[in-house]
Amino acid sequence: MKHMKILAAGILLLGQTISSAAFAVPVTLTGATVSFTFDSALSGLFGAPTVAGDVLFFTPTTYKAQSFNGSGFASASQTFNVAVNARPGYLVSAVNLNEDGDYYNIGAGASVGVGGKMYVRDLESPLAPAAFGTIKSALPLTDVTSLANFETTNWTSHAGVAIPAGWGGTDGVVSGVNVTIQNILLASSLTSGSAAFIEKKFVALSMVTAPVPEPETYAMLLIGVGLV
């Protein structure tokens, strides 16, 4: 009987492992000058992305944080990771992130926030320190509405990373990067009768690329960087 239980437990564990592996599917979407590769099971609150040009964008419908009637802080967070590879003849020169959504604050003690980080790593030197940009709202999220005259307010946020000098190995050509987007939404209501709500509706990861310089031009560029 003991051996049967061990065998049954082993079969159950194997089934769970196979089931998890079945849902974790690497997906590659091809843009104009880059390709995006990510795990389809890990997009979470972002939802399934789409590519237009060299932009990977999401239109989430359930990415929100809300707090009502003095219940304190509530949060929603998601981290998404994607490998970006330039097509032959191109290099990656910068990464930009743009987001938008809406929010509302009702009553004293209601507030919302949006933030996070975007990390970029050189695929040729993945253990080197990442370059990063901070996700910040373009304007303070301080508008207040009421039940009698209710409306939501739009918000936008941005983060950008320029590829640092010295990336790209011996030839200095950055042909691939790993991008991690860490997103956080916060809502807080601290008094009875207050309400706070914030939702993310759009996320766009934009890759900036350039043609790989001709050998002569690139040699002059390296000499210039060396002098600097």
Side-chain angles (χ1 to χ4, degrees):
M1 181 63 70
K2 183 178 179 181
H3 293 297
M4 291 295 293
K5 289 182 178 180
I6 295 175
L7 178 59
I11 292 174
L12 177 60
L13 179 60
L14 178 61
Q16 291 174 340
T17 303
I18 294 173
S19 176
S20 299
F23 287 104
V25 179
V27 174
T28 297
L29 300 179
T30 303
T33 63
V34 298
S35 64
F36 302 89
T37 301
F38 56 92
D39 189 331
S40 65
L42 300 179
S43 56
L45 293 174
F46 286 104
T50 305
V51 168
D54 284 332
V55 180
L56 185 74
F57 67 91
F58 307 80
T59 53
T61 59
T62 59
Y63 202 157
K64 64 188 70 175
Q66 50 195 352
S67 178
F68 306 116
N69 205 32
S71 59
F73 280 93
S75 68
S77 62
Q78 184 68 52
T79 298
F80 178 78
N81 188 74
V82 58
V84 185
N85 287 282
R87 297 175 65 180
Y90 291 91
L91 57 83
V92 179
S93 58
V95 185
N96 292 310
L97 180 71
N98 292 285
E99 304 179 339
D100 64 51
D102 67 347
Y103 73 95
Y104 66 75
N105 296 309
I106 297 178
S111 60
V112 296
V114 58
K117 290 281 195 296
M118 179 176 69
Y119 297 90
V120 180
R121 287 180 168 83
D122 184 359
L123 285 180
E124 291 193 45
S125 303
L127 299 182
F132 69 89
T134 300
I135 300 170
K136 296 187 66 175
S137 174
L139 295 172
L141 307 181
T142 54
D143 283 2
V144 177
T145 188
S146 66
L147 292 179
N149 189 28
F150 180 80
E151 64 177 337
T152 61
T153 301
N154 294 329
W155 62 265
T156 61
S157 65
H158 171 78
V161 171
I163 299 302
W167 281 23
T170 55
D171 61 4
V173 175
V174 180
S175 58
V177 295
N178 189 88
V179 182
T180 301
I181 306 170
Q182 175 205 50
N183 270 202
I184 304 169
L185 298 180
L186 293 171
S188 175
S189 62
L190 301 180
T191 60
S192 178
S194 63
F197 171 91
I198 183 168
E199 183 172 40
K200 193 184 302 288
K201 295 183 175 179
F202 181 77
V203 179
L205 179 67
S206 305
M207 305 304 301
V208 181
T209 63
V212 174
E214 296 295 329
E216 296 81 3
T217 303
Y218 202 74
M220 294 180 66
L221 176 62
L222 289 176
I223 292 172
V225 171
L227 290 175
V228 171

